[in-house]
Amino acid sequence: MMKYLEWNNIISAYFFNPDNAGKDIHLYLTKNDIIGLARQNFNEETEDEIWTDFINSIKRGIPGSNGNVIAKAKHAHSKNNLIGLKKADGTFATIDDVPVLYPPYISYLTFFVLPLIESIDNTNLRANNYYGRLNTFLQSNQINENIGTSDFSNNQINSLWEDLANWANIKKNGDLGLFNVVPFSNANWVYVGKVFSQCVLPPKFLNRLPELFESIGLVPDTFYDDKFLQEKIKNSRTDLIPKSTLDFLKKDDELSNSIIQTIQRQYKKWSGETHEEIEEGTITRKKRNYTVAPLFLQFKVNTNDEVISFSYRMYSSNDYPEDLKFSEHENLYEINGWSKTLPLEFKEGLELKDNFNKWLAKFPIRDVRLFVSAGTFQLSNDFWIETDFLSKTERMYLLCKNDKQGLVKEWGKTFGNGNFKQEDFEGLPDNYSLFWFRNPTQGLTEIPLLTLYTEKRIELVGGLKINFRTYSNEFLPEVEIINSDGNEKVYLQYKDTDEKIFLSKITSLNNRWLLPAKTAINTDFYIKVEDETFSGNTLAYNLVSSDNTAIKVDGSNLPKRDSFGRNVATDVEQFCLGSNIINPMMSSQRYISTYGSLFTSTFQETQPNISSAIFNNHNGNNLCNFLSLKSELTTEDFFKAFEFFYSKEFPEYQANTNYNLTKLKRASLNFYDFIGILDFDYETKKIILNPPQFIFIPAEKGRKVLLIGARDTALIEKIITTGPKYNLQVEITKQFSSNERLLLPDVITIRAFQQANDSYGENSIKTFANELNIKFTTDYYPQVALQDFSATITDYEETLQETNENDYDWARYIFNPDTLDFDKNETPTFDKSFSLVRYKLNEYTYEFKLWKNNKCYKVDMNWGRFIALKHFQKEVILFDNSSKKVAIPIATPLPRLLSEAIMLLSGKAPDFKEINGKKYRVYENVVGIFTQNLFRLKLGQTAINTTL
C-alpha cells in the first residue's frame, strides 16, 4: 500500500522533470497511465488492485485531511511551505515519512481531470457537463460524494492551479516544464474551464498534430491567423481530431479559443516532419512521410537602374539531407536552417519536390507579402526576404496583388511624412504592386498579416544556448523585444536584488540590446523594461561558464561496449568503456606486452629548454568547451553547436563554397568519437563525454603522453602553466589543414625527459597528472587493448541476427563495392542474394541491413562495409612501411574500436588525400602494431604495399 504523498511524488515526477524543461505541461493521465507509473512499486498486485490503492490514497489524502476530496485537495495545498525544504541534516522535509518534493496537491488536480478522460457509464451526459461526469466517476470508484460549484469556490480550488503555475514557471523557472493556467471569465467556466483546458487536447492528439497540419495543407514557419486555422481544422475530413475536441472547436467561446491557442503553439514548434508511428508488437517503427518546408520569396534591388530581381530560399529547422536535390539544384544548405539562393522565377503556389528524400518545398499563395533585410537572419544584406511580422522600427517592403492595392494605399495615409512610398521597379510580376515603408503607426485590420501587434515580448536571441534559458558566457545572446517601439529602457536585474543594470542598444537594429560583458555567471537574472510589464519578464535567465567543467565529467553514464562496439546491458567480465578496456588482455598490459618498447622506450631523452606552449582558442577548441559543459547531449545538440561555431570560424557566406555542411557535421562527430573525446552512439543518438585522461603514445625516446577525453580552456591553460614546474614540455599541435572545417580540437601531448631519480621522466608526469586531477593510465596501453579486444570480421558474421525485411518507405541506399559509396536505390526490388542497405529517416536516424542468401540481418554500418568488401574480394587498404602511414578509403571507415585504436596513436584525425582519383584518410604514426597482419586478421583485408 502506498501513501498519498508517494503517489503524488510519482505522478509529479512524470509531469515535471528536466526532460520537460521549457515544454508546456498538461495534467493529462489515463487510468492505465497511472497504473503503469506505479507498477514498479508493487509486486504481485493486479492492475485493479493498484488502481484501488490510488483511489484509496485520494480518499485518505495527507494525514489530518477531513471532508470531501475537494476539501482534502485544499488541505494538501496548505502544506505548500514544505516543498523542497531541507532539514538541518540536509534531508528533505517529510510528511508521513515521505519527502515533500513537489506541490502536494498535484495528484488531486490530475484526479479532477480524470472524469473527462475516462469513459463513464452515464451516456446521457453532455460533453461539457463537468459536475455530472465528476460525480458519476466518483460513484463508480466507490467515493460516495456529490460535488458542485460551491465546493470548488468554498475551497478556493483556483488558487491551486495558480500556485502550480507560480511553482513551475517562476520558482522552478520552467526547468521542469511550464504550466499555463487558462483564465476563464465566463461564470460557468471559472472553475471547470481549468479542468477542461487540461484534456481537450489529449497528448496522443498533440503528438499527431503534425499529421493534421500536413493533411490540411499547412506549411511550417508561416503566418496563419487564428480564424483561418480554426476554419481549416473544423472543415477537415480526418480521424486525427477527437470528436469532443471538434465539438468544442465548432463553438466560438473561451474554450475553443484556448484550444486554438494551444494548437497555434504546437504549430509554431512544427518542423515539417510528419512521420507516422507504427506499432509492431513491442517495437514502434516510424513510417516516413514527406518533410514539408516553406519557400520564402526574396529579391535584390538595383536602385540605380530601378530593377528588381526575385529568387527564393527554403527554410527548415530539420537537418537537410546531404543529397537533397530539387531538379538541377543541389548542395542546397547554407546556414542556420536557410538554403542557398534558389534562382527561380516568381510563381504563386510554386512547389519543389525531392521524391527520393521525400522533401517538399512549398511557396504558399498569398495576396500580401512583407519583406525585411535578410541581414536580420544573418544572411546577405544584399537581399530583402519575406517575413511574417510587421515591424514598428525596421524598414520594410510590401508586395501585394493589385486588387489589394487600394486598401494598402489607404493604409499608407496613416504613415508619417516620407515613411511610405510606392515603388515602380522593372521586373515586378504582372498584377503586383510594391511599397516601401517604415515606422507604421497602426495596422490594417482587413489584412491579418498587417496586424500591428502591441503586446511586447522579450526573447534572448543568438548566443550559445546550453539548455532552456541557460547560455554560455563566452558567446552572449542579445536581448530582443518583439514589437518594440525602439525607445524602451531595458535593464538586467539579478534575482533577489533591486539594482537595475541598464543595457546599451545595438545601433544597427532598433529592437536589440546587449548584455553587459561582465554579466555574473551561475546567477539568475531577469530582463525588464522600465515602466512596462510584459511576457518574458518573469523568466529568469542564467549564464554558465565551461571553465573547470571537464574535470567534473565522470563518465558514469558511458555505455559498456562489446568487442563489436555494440552496447551491452548485461554484466560482462571484459568490456570497452569510453576509450578504455576494462580487464584488458595480457597482451596489452605494460610489463607483458610485446609492444612495450614502442610506448615506453628504453632510450633516455635529454632535456632541452622547456618552452611555453601557445594555445589558440579557435572554434574547434571552443566546441570542446561546449561539449565539456554539456557532458551528455544528443546528435541534434552537437549539430546545432557545430553550426554555431562553424559560422563563427568561417563567416564568409556558405553560399559561395562547395562544402556540404551536413556531411561536415557528421564527419566531425565521428572523429570526436575516435580521437577519444566522447562516445557517440548513432542508434540511440546519444553522446557522452569521456573523462580527461593521459595515455602513452609511441615515442622513440623518453615518454610521451596524449590528453584524451573532455577538456576546457581553463584545464588546458592549467596544463600549460603546470607543465614547466615538472620539467615537462607541453606540445600543442593543430590538426591537418585538410580537416580545418571539421572543427576538431588541437592535439595536446606532454613530453618527459630524464631527470635525477626519475625513470625517463615518468614520475614527473604522474605528479603532474595528480596535481591536475587527471587520470594517467600507466598499467596498460589502451591502443593495443582496443585492437586486441576488437572482434574479427568472421566473429561478426557469425553473430548476425535476422531482422524484419520492411523498409518503411525510408530512403534506400545500396553499397557499391566499386565506388565504395552508397548509391540511391528506388527500384521495387534489389539483389537479395547479397546487398548492404542503408535506410535513412532523417539526418539523425539511420538503419543498416545486410541481405545475404535472401535473409535480412541487422548490421553495424562500419562492420557491414567490410563484410561487403570481403564478399566481393575487394582489397582497399594501402600501407607504407617506411613512412609508417596507412591509407583507408574515406567511404569505408574502420569499425569503432579499430578506428579509435589507430587514431589514439597520435591523437590526430587522419589527413584527407586524393590518391589515383580516389579519396582516402591517411593515418600517421602507425608503427608495426597496425601492419598488414592486423587488417588481414580483423577485417579480412590484405593491405596493399605502396608509397604514401
Side-chain angles (χ1 to χ4, degrees):
M1 190 175 93
M2 271 173 33
K3 298 169 180 172
Y4 168 81
L5 216 53
E6 289 174 311
W7 275 103
N8 193 70
N9 284 344
I10 287 173
I11 287 171
S12 304
Y14 167 77
F15 291 122
F16 295 101
N17 61 68
D19 287 343
N20 285 338
K23 292 180 187 165
D24 290 331
I25 304 300
H26 288 84
L27 300 186
Y28 186 110
L29 277 181
T30 63
K31 176 179 174 178
N32 284 344
D33 292 336
I34 290 171
I35 294 165
L37 284 176
R39 166 49 74 203
Q40 66 200 59
N41 296 56
F42 290 88
N43 297 322
E44 306 297 315
E45 284 82 355
T46 63
E47 293 196 345
D48 284 345
E49 286 167 335
I50 297 174
W51 175 251
T52 304
D53 191 78
F54 170 69
I55 293 295
N56 287 339
S57 78
I58 291 287
K59 282 182 182 174
R60 281 194 311 275
I62 284 178
S65 294
N66 291 307
N68 64 19
V69 287
I70 308 295
K72 286 177 176 138
K74 188 188 180 191
H75 178 70
H77 179 232
S78 71
K79 303 294 179 191
N80 250 4
N81 57 331
L82 298 175
I83 307 168
L85 207 65
K86 294 257 179 100
K87 295 189 283 198
D89 63 359
T91 59
F92 286 104
T94 57
I95 297 175
D96 205 12
D97 297 328
V98 183
V100 187
L101 305 176
Y102 301 91
Y105 50 80
I106 289 180
S107 284
Y108 279 108
L109 293 183
T110 307
F111 180 77
F112 298 155
V113 180
L114 273 165
L116 297 176
I117 298 168
E118 291 302 319
S119 53
I120 35 188
D121 298 333
N122 193 334
T123 48
N124 301 324
L125 293 171
R126 292 196 323 278
N128 60 355
N129 177 346
Y130 175 67
Y131 294 110
R133 291 168 76 100
L134 171 64
N135 290 318
T136 308
F137 180 74
L138 293 175
Q139 305 297 326
S140 66
N141 284 290
Q142 286 71 55
I143 300 178
N144 297 315
E145 296 169 6
N146 203 22
I147 284 167
T149 310
S150 56
D151 294 293
F152 276 71
S153 60
N154 294 345
N155 289 293
Q156 298 163 320
I157 290 303
N158 273 353
S159 58
L160 275 65
W161 296 97
E162 274 136 31
D163 188 83
L164 182 57
N166 185 58
W167 174 80
N169 306 347
I170 295 173
K171 285 200 175 122
K172 289 290 173 190
N173 265 307
D175 291 342
L176 306 177
L178 291 167
F179 185 71
N180 291 305
V181 181
V182 184
F184 290 90
S185 51
N186 178 329
N188 300 324
W189 289 97
V190 168
Y191 300 106
V192 301
K194 293 181 173 63
V195 182
F196 271 107
S197 68
Q198 298 305 300
C199 82
V200 285
L201 296 172
K204 203 167 184 178
F205 171 55
L206 289 175
N207 291 338
R208 294 193 73 187
L209 271 175
E211 286 175 63
L212 175 65
F213 298 149
E214 198 257 350
S215 74
I216 59 179
L218 302 189
V219 182
D221 301 292
T222 303
F223 171 80
Y224 298 111
D225 62 282
D226 294 353
K227 276 278 165 282
F228 174 86
L229 208 54
Q230 188 164 352
E231 287 306 311
K232 270 281 198 199
I233 293 172
K234 262 175 20 187
N235 300 326
S236 66
R237 291 199 174 123
T238 174
D239 61 343
L240 293 168
I241 311 170
K243 189 181 174 310
S244 58
T245 308
L246 252 185
D247 291 343
F248 286 125
L249 269 178
K250 284 178 179 159
K251 301 189 180 68
D252 201 8
D253 58 15
E254 287 183 292
L255 194 60
S256 68
N257 188 34
S258 99
I259 295 172
I260 285 296
Q261 289 313 312
T262 305
I263 290 176
Q264 276 279 27
R265 273 204 299 278
Q266 294 299 117
Y267 164 73
K268 288 192 172 88
K269 292 177 195 165
W270 179 39
S271 70
E273 280 194 316
T274 61
H275 309 310
E276 290 169 59
E277 305 225 319
I278 295 168
E279 287 177 22
E280 298 180 341
T282 55
I283 302 172
T284 306
R285 291 271 169 209
K286 285 203 161 150
K287 183 177 185 306
R288 195 167 68 118
N289 288 343
Y290 274 88
T291 295
V292 187
L295 285 169
F296 287 87
L297 190 61
Q298 63 174 15
F299 61 78
K300 273 184 177 179
V301 175
N302 180 334
T303 36
N304 297 338
D305 303 340
E306 297 203 330
V307 172
I308 187 168
S309 54
F310 288 93
S311 53
Y312 293 88
R313 279 182 201 266
M314 181 174 78
Y315 176 82
S316 180
S317 57
N318 297 306
D319 256 16
Y320 289 35
E322 63 184 50
D323 54 356
L324 182 65
K325 195 172 177 184
F326 295 128
S327 65
E328 76 277 16
H329 303 290
E330 52 189 340
N331 194 7
L332 297 175
Y333 190 45
E334 184 163 327
I335 200 90
N336 298 331
W338 291 98
S339 75
K340 296 173 181 174
T341 290
L342 292 161
L344 299 165
E345 297 285 309
F346 176 85
K347 182 187 168 192
E348 280 289 2
L350 174 70
E351 285 197 1
L352 305 175
K353 218 173 196 180
D354 175 338
N355 284 322
F356 181 74
N357 284 298
K358 285 202 164 181
W359 270 55
L360 180 60
K362 285 179 156 185
F363 182 48
I365 292 174
R366 280 187 176 176
D367 294 340
V368 178
R369 299 179 185 279
L370 282 172
F371 296 83
V372 69
S373 166
T376 314
F377 305 107
Q378 285 89 54
L379 300 169
S380 162
N381 277 315
D382 297 344
F383 290 98
W384 293 85
I385 196 161
E386 242 183 302
T387 180
D388 276 338
F389 293 103
L390 192 55
S391 167
K392 292 182 189 172
T393 53
E394 299 302 314
R395 295 159 184 251
M396 300 191 87
Y397 277 101
L398 182 153
L399 180 74
C400 69
K401 289 184 176 163
N402 283 346
D403 59 2
K404 297 285 183 232
Q405 189 187 34
L407 269 174
V408 172
K409 280 183 168 170
E410 275 305 302
W411 179 56
K413 292 174 184 171
T414 66
F415 281 75
N417 201 10
N419 283 349
F420 186 92
K421 68 171 191 262
Q422 184 164 4
E423 303 282 16
D424 186 18
F425 293 139
E426 198 180 310
L428 278 174
D430 291 342
N431 300 317
Y432 279 85
S433 306
L434 185 73
F435 299 88
W436 173 94
F437 66 86
R438 69 176 165 207
N439 304 0
T441 56
Q442 62 187 64
L444 178 56
T445 43
E446 290 87 341
I447 301 174
L449 182 68
L450 299 182
T451 305
L452 191 63
Y453 293 95
T454 50
E455 189 189 339
K456 296 180 184 177
R457 197 170 77 246
I458 289 176
E459 281 187 5
L460 293 198
V461 292
L464 182 59
K465 196 170 189 177
I466 305 300
N467 287 316
F468 171 66
R469 78 177 189 85
T470 305
Y471 292 81
S472 158
N473 72 327
E474 289 157 71
F475 297 92
L476 295 180
E478 294 169 358
V479 175
E480 179 172 353
I481 298 187
I482 312 289
N483 305 320
S484 156
D485 306 318
N487 50 17
E488 291 86 356
K489 289 183 173 161
V490 185
Y491 63 89
L492 175 152
Q493 194 168 44
Y494 292 108
K495 201 171 183 175
D496 306 324
T497 66
D498 295 326
E499 189 194 354
K500 298 175 180 179
I501 301 161
F502 284 93
L503 308 186
S504 56
K505 195 166 166 185
I506 297 175
T507 43
S508 58
L509 289 164
N510 283 319
N511 62 345
R512 289 208 188 160
W513 284 258
L514 290 168
L515 290 175
K518 291 197 163 63
T519 304
I521 59 167
N522 301 324
T523 311
D524 280 349
F525 63 87
Y526 300 101
I527 300 293
K528 297 186 178 178
V529 175
E530 190 83 305
D531 304 327
E532 291 187 63
T533 310
F534 41 84
S535 100
N537 272 10
T538 50
L539 189 64
Y541 297 100
N542 201 316
L543 297 183
V544 287
S545 164
S546 61
D547 282 354
N548 306 311
T549 51
I551 221 73
K552 296 191 185 93
V553 170
D554 62 2
S556 53
N557 289 337
L558 280 168
K560 294 178 182 173
R561 296 190 176 280
D562 65 13
S563 59
F564 304 114
R566 296 179 302 215
N567 269 349
V568 273
T570 50
D571 273 343
V572 280
E573 180 91 359
Q574 194 182 28
F575 54 90
C576 176
L577 197 67
S579 301
N580 292 285
I581 302 297
I582 307 304
N583 298 321
M585 291 175 203
M586 303 287 262
S587 54
S588 64
Q589 290 175 21
R590 177 157 184 187
Y591 297 107
I592 300 165
S593 173
T594 52
Y595 299 116
S597 59
L598 281 176
F599 291 93
T600 44
S601 161
T602 50
F603 295 106
Q604 293 183 358
E605 172 83 295
T606 51
Q607 184 185 333
N609 289 333
I610 301 288
S611 59
S612 187
I614 307 294
F615 180 61
N616 165 16
N617 217 351
H618 60 76
N619 283 307
N621 292 326
N622 283 333
L623 178 51
C624 271
N625 288 344
F626 168 81
L627 296 171
S628 163
L629 182 52
K630 288 286 280 185
S631 87
E632 293 187 21
L633 58 159
T634 62
T635 320
E636 286 97 322
D637 294 333
F638 181 93
F639 285 177
K640 275 188 188 136
F642 182 94
E643 271 201 40
F644 177 86
F645 288 113
Y646 185 88
S647 58
K648 292 260 180 279
E649 190 73 11
F650 304 105
E652 89 275 11
Y653 288 114
Q654 177 72 6
N656 310 329
T657 71
N658 278 326
Y659 293 101
N660 186 316
L661 198 47
T662 312
K663 277 185 178 171
L664 288 176
K665 288 190 280 201
R666 200 169 318 113
S668 171
L669 178 51
N670 282 317
F671 281 135
Y672 265 91
D673 189 347
F674 302 147
I675 57 178
I677 287 180
L678 50 81
D679 176 288
F680 161 51
D681 193 305
Y682 72 88
E683 288 186 27
T684 60
K685 308 178 215 172
K686 266 195 176 160
I687 296 168
I688 297 175
L689 272 278
N690 294 324
Q693 181 181 350
F694 287 127
I695 60 171
F696 286 121
I697 58 171
E700 288 178 357
K701 291 180 177 178
R703 297 286 177 270
K704 193 170 184 180
V705 296
L706 169 72
L707 174 71
I708 59 171
R711 61 192 55 193
D712 60 61
T713 304
L715 180 67
I716 292 165
E717 284 171 352
K718 213 167 173 181
I719 287 172
I720 291 169
T721 52
T722 314
K725 203 164 107 180
Y726 297 101
N727 289 319
L728 298 172
Q729 178 63 59
V730 178
E731 295 175 334
I732 297 180
T733 316
K734 276 182 88 75
Q735 299 277 352
F736 289 112
S737 59
S738 63
N739 292 328
E740 181 185 40
R741 286 181 181 261
L742 297 178
L743 299 186
L744 300 172
D746 296 335
V747 180
I748 295 176
T749 49
I750 317 291
R751 274 174 60 211
F753 311 97
Q754 184 59 35
Q755 298 178 46
N757 309 321
D758 185 354
S759 120
Y760 306 99
E762 198 172 308
N763 292 337
S764 303
I765 303 178
K766 276 183 190 159
T767 329
F768 163 75
N770 283 340
E771 180 172 334
L772 293 167
N773 206 11
I774 295 176
K775 177 184 169 187
F776 175 28
T777 303
T778 57
D779 54 341
Y780 85 112
Y781 308 120
Q783 303 90 327
V784 182
L786 283 160
Q787 176 209 315
D788 287 355
F789 179 61
S790 170
T792 68
I793 197 155
T794 314
D795 301 331
Y796 190 79
E797 285 183 280
E798 284 169 1
T799 62
L800 285 175
Q801 291 188 330
E802 282 193 54
T803 187
N804 67 55
E805 302 179 2
N806 202 329
D807 63 8
Y808 304 99
D809 274 344
W810 291 22
R812 187 202 302 146
Y813 300 80
I814 294 186
F815 184 70
N816 178 334
D818 297 322
T819 62
L820 307 182
D821 278 335
F822 280 88
D823 297 340
K824 285 182 180 182
N825 181 278
E826 300 178 72
T827 57
T829 59
F830 56 90
D831 179 6
K832 293 185 176 175
S833 65
F834 191 94
S835 284
L836 174 63
V837 189
R838 181 181 85 188
Y839 293 106
K840 182 173 76 168
L841 176 73
N842 55 30
E843 294 313 298
Y844 312 112
T845 315
Y846 287 82
E847 227 173 80
F848 292 81
K849 293 181 182 179
L850 178 71
W851 281 90
K852 198 173 167 185
N853 304 330
N854 293 307
K855 285 185 177 170
C856 182
Y857 302 95
K858 187 176 168 67
V859 71
D860 170 86
M861 57 178 175
N862 293 357
W863 282 108
R865 290 176 176 114
F866 281 97
I867 290 175
L869 292 172
K870 182 181 166 199
H871 174 84
F872 293 111
Q873 298 180 321
K874 289 268 181 192
E875 312 292 5
V876 298
I877 294 173
L878 311 178
F879 178 68
D880 183 342
N881 207 10
S882 57
S883 68
K884 299 176 184 167
K885 287 182 181 177
V886 164
I888 294 171
I890 196 163
T892 57
L894 300 176
R896 89 178 296 136
L897 301 184
L898 296 175
S899 266
E900 192 151 352
I902 201 169
M903 274 187 233
L904 292 184
L905 291 167
S906 66
K908 264 190 176 181
D911 200 359
F912 171 79
K913 283 205 175 129
E914 278 206 20
I915 304 168
N916 301 331
K918 289 190 174 160
K919 295 171 180 172
Y920 285 86
R921 288 280 177 195
V922 179
Y923 295 79
E924 304 224 327
N925 210 17
V926 187
V927 277
I929 170 178
F930 281 92
T931 51
Q932 292 106 313
N933 220 359
L934 160 95
F935 296 120
R936 191 179 301 124
L937 174 70
K938 298 289 183 184
L939 299 172
Q941 283 279 315
T942 305
I944 303 162
N945 218 330
T946 185
T947 305
L948 291 174

